[in-house]
Amino acid sequence: MEPAVVSAVRELLPVLRDRAQDVEDRRQLAPETVKSLAETGFFRLLQPARFGGFEADPRTFLTCVRDIAGACGSTGWVASVIGVHNWQLGLFPDQAQQDVWADDQGIRMSSSYAPTGKIRAVDGGYRVSGRWSFSSGCDHATWVLLGGIVPPGEDGAPADFRTFLLPNTDYLIEDVWNTVGLRGTGSNDIVVKDAFVPAYRSLSFNDTARCLCPGQEQNPAPLYKIPYGSIFSYAITTPIIGMATGAYEAHVSYTRERVRAAYAGVRAAEDPYSQVRVANAASDIDSAWLALENNMRELMAHVTAGTKLPMPLRLRVRRDQVRGTELAIQAVDRLFENSGGRALAVGTPIQRFWRDAHAGRVHAINDPERALSMYGRGEFGLSTADAMV
């Protein structure tokens, strides 16, 4: 089934490429785009099999994300973050999964994990209030995953960073998304006014970091034993690598026909400096992708064999994730700089990929110093405690 999904996604790419400017102009994906992606089976790749999912190898999912983002950056971004939520829901207690998928296995969730709201523990669950920003694709979802910190309890219980799952009857969407990059992601604000969230519709980041979550009892597949910090971080970097790939393809296609008037009508393709820049950009993109692919292969080998994930591998995953983003941005910049003034025109793919990639770069998970420092601590034999490893 998985190869069929990959093939169906690739058949859709010309349509997504043609719609890219429309996506940017409307500031969100068109309903028909989301419907088409759903029909390929893409959103079910990481979904538990008992709810109609494929429980696919994450590399299949990430390959599709890269391809989609190479056609349209905003579509690739939304597809990735919406698609990875089906994996996370598989970690929640069974009743939470039943609440979402029992009647409709095609339900989608958006998210906003920064703990900007107010959480209060009450009998049976939590009261949740506040505003959460950057919820990509929220207009195409009917549930949301929100990050929040439960304050220390009077019984001495420590503060707990958790994810809370809410239906769209418990929140409002405020249209605030008007940006220079990733304009088509519709990453609007989620506003919640004193909603009750049952305890079973929450999940501690401590559990995801330990790779010991309630949902593993019903979903025992190796897929659900991967660290959250590994799979979610790759769901952010992969679209950026895809955008760099799209920029590369657009640049090469354009340069093959481009004539440089400022250099006596010389064909740009004959310029040795352009050739070197393209080679460097291609190498950066390949290096970024191959490192992520290899790391995910290693992760899956360990969880499939039932062996404990080595901390050096988990740290390397994050190291290569932030470096993958850096390499993709480096490639996009090099290609944009080599494209000439006509690449500045509104509607050209290269400038859209350039803006989208830089917009994705500012996501908090791409903070290079934090991830690289964690890797360095591990290499020097120092302890590392971070929920995103």
Side-chain angles (χ1 to χ4, degrees):
M1 184 61 71
E2 296 169 28
V5 175
V6 176
S7 297
V9 166
R10 287 177 174 166
E11 288 176 7
L12 187 60
L13 297 181
V15 176
L16 300 182
R17 194 172 289 112
D18 289 344
R19 289 178 182 166
Q21 187 59 47
D22 177 67
V23 167
E24 175 157 297
D25 292 342
R26 67 166 63 219
R27 296 186 299 114
Q28 63 172 281
L29 272 59
E32 54 267 30
T33 292
V34 179
K35 182 175 182 290
S36 296
L37 282 171
E39 289 173 346
T40 68
F42 168 80
F43 291 117
R44 295 177 186 257
L45 284 172
L46 302 183
Q47 191 163 321
R50 66 198 186 101
F51 291 112
F54 302 136
E55 294 185 353
D57 187 303
R59 287 174 293 169
T60 302
F61 173 78
L62 296 173
T63 296
C64 289
V65 167
R66 182 194 60 179
D67 291 347
I68 295 167
C72 172
S74 288
T75 303
W77 184 272
V78 171
S80 192
V81 297
I82 295 289
V84 81
H85 295 153
N86 288 359
W87 171 85
Q88 187 183 8
L89 183 57
L91 306 180
F92 273 71
D94 179 57
Q95 187 57 57
Q97 299 176 56
Q98 297 289 347
D99 286 358
V100 176
W101 285 322
D103 296 327
D104 184 353
Q105 297 177 349
I107 291 292
R108 291 180 293 274
M109 297 155 280
S110 67
S111 68
S112 180
Y113 293 103
T116 55
K118 180 180 179 181
I119 313 298
R120 180 166 55 92
V122 297
D123 288 345
Y126 306 90
R127 305 300 305 193
V128 176
S129 298
R131 178 184 293 270
W132 285 259
S133 298
F134 312 119
S135 190
S136 300
C138 57
D139 289 299
H140 303 288
T142 51
W143 290 74
V144 70
L145 296 158
L146 300 176
I149 296 177
V150 181
E154 295 179 359
D155 59 355
D160 189 11
F161 186 11
R162 303 184 74 87
T163 299
F164 299 89
L165 174 66
L166 288 76
N168 61 359
T169 52
D170 284 349
Y171 62 88
L172 298 174
I173 297 172
E174 286 199 9
D175 184 353
V176 299
W177 192 246
N178 194 2
T179 58
V180 297
L182 292 177
R183 285 182 58 81
T185 61
S187 303
N188 290 308
D189 284 4
I190 302 294
V191 181
V192 182
K193 295 183 179 179
D194 195 31
F196 173 72
V197 178
Y200 70 82
R201 278 205 233 130
S202 72
L203 184 67
S204 174
F205 274 95
N206 291 329
D207 291 342
T208 60
R210 293 185 300 123
C211 301
L212 292 172
C213 297
Q216 291 169 340
E217 183 176 347
Q218 290 78 29
N219 305 317
L223 172 64
Y224 302 103
K225 297 179 175 65
I226 298 175
Y228 172 89
S230 298
I231 195 164
F232 179 80
S233 64
Y234 278 23
I236 295 299
T237 289
T238 298
I240 300 173
I241 295 174
M243 295 168 207
T245 304
Y248 180 86
E249 292 170 351
H251 175 79
V252 169
S253 177
Y254 168 62
T255 303
R256 282 173 179 165
E257 307 301 325
R258 179 185 171 203
V259 174
R260 305 187 71 176
Y263 293 91
V266 174
R267 292 182 62 224
E270 298 289 348
D271 181 359
Y273 302 112
S274 292
Q275 296 161 1
V276 169
R277 290 166 187 156
V278 163
N280 282 327
S283 178
D284 286 342
I285 294 168
D286 286 348
S287 296
W289 174 249
L290 292 173
L292 266 63
E293 189 178 41
N294 180 65
N295 289 340
M296 191 56 69
R297 182 185 295 109
E298 269 196 62
L299 283 172
M300 284 300 293
H302 277 286
V303 295
T304 299
T307 56
K308 184 178 180 180
L309 290 171
M311 183 53 69
L313 172 59
R314 295 174 67 162
L315 291 170
R316 188 200 335 143
V317 164
R318 286 300 318 282
R319 179 200 72 185
D320 291 345
Q321 176 257 315
V322 295
R323 286 289 296 138
T325 295
E326 288 184 329
L327 287 168
I329 293 295
Q330 183 173 293
V332 170
D333 283 350
R334 183 176 277 118
L335 294 166
F336 185 64
E337 291 164 4
N338 197 51
S339 292
R342 295 191 184 279
L344 296 171
V346 173
T348 58
I350 187 71
Q351 56 81 31
R352 185 170 54 246
F353 283 122
W354 183 80
R355 288 185 289 106
D356 287 348
H358 277 274
R361 164 64 185 85
V362 300
H363 190 285
I365 202 71
N366 287 322
D367 180 354
E369 289 80 13
R370 183 178 303 278
L372 297 178
S373 175
M374 289 191 297
Y375 181 83
R377 286 183 63 86
E379 288 294 281
F380 293 142
L382 303 175
S383 63
T384 300
D386 194 296
M388 293 306 295
V389 172

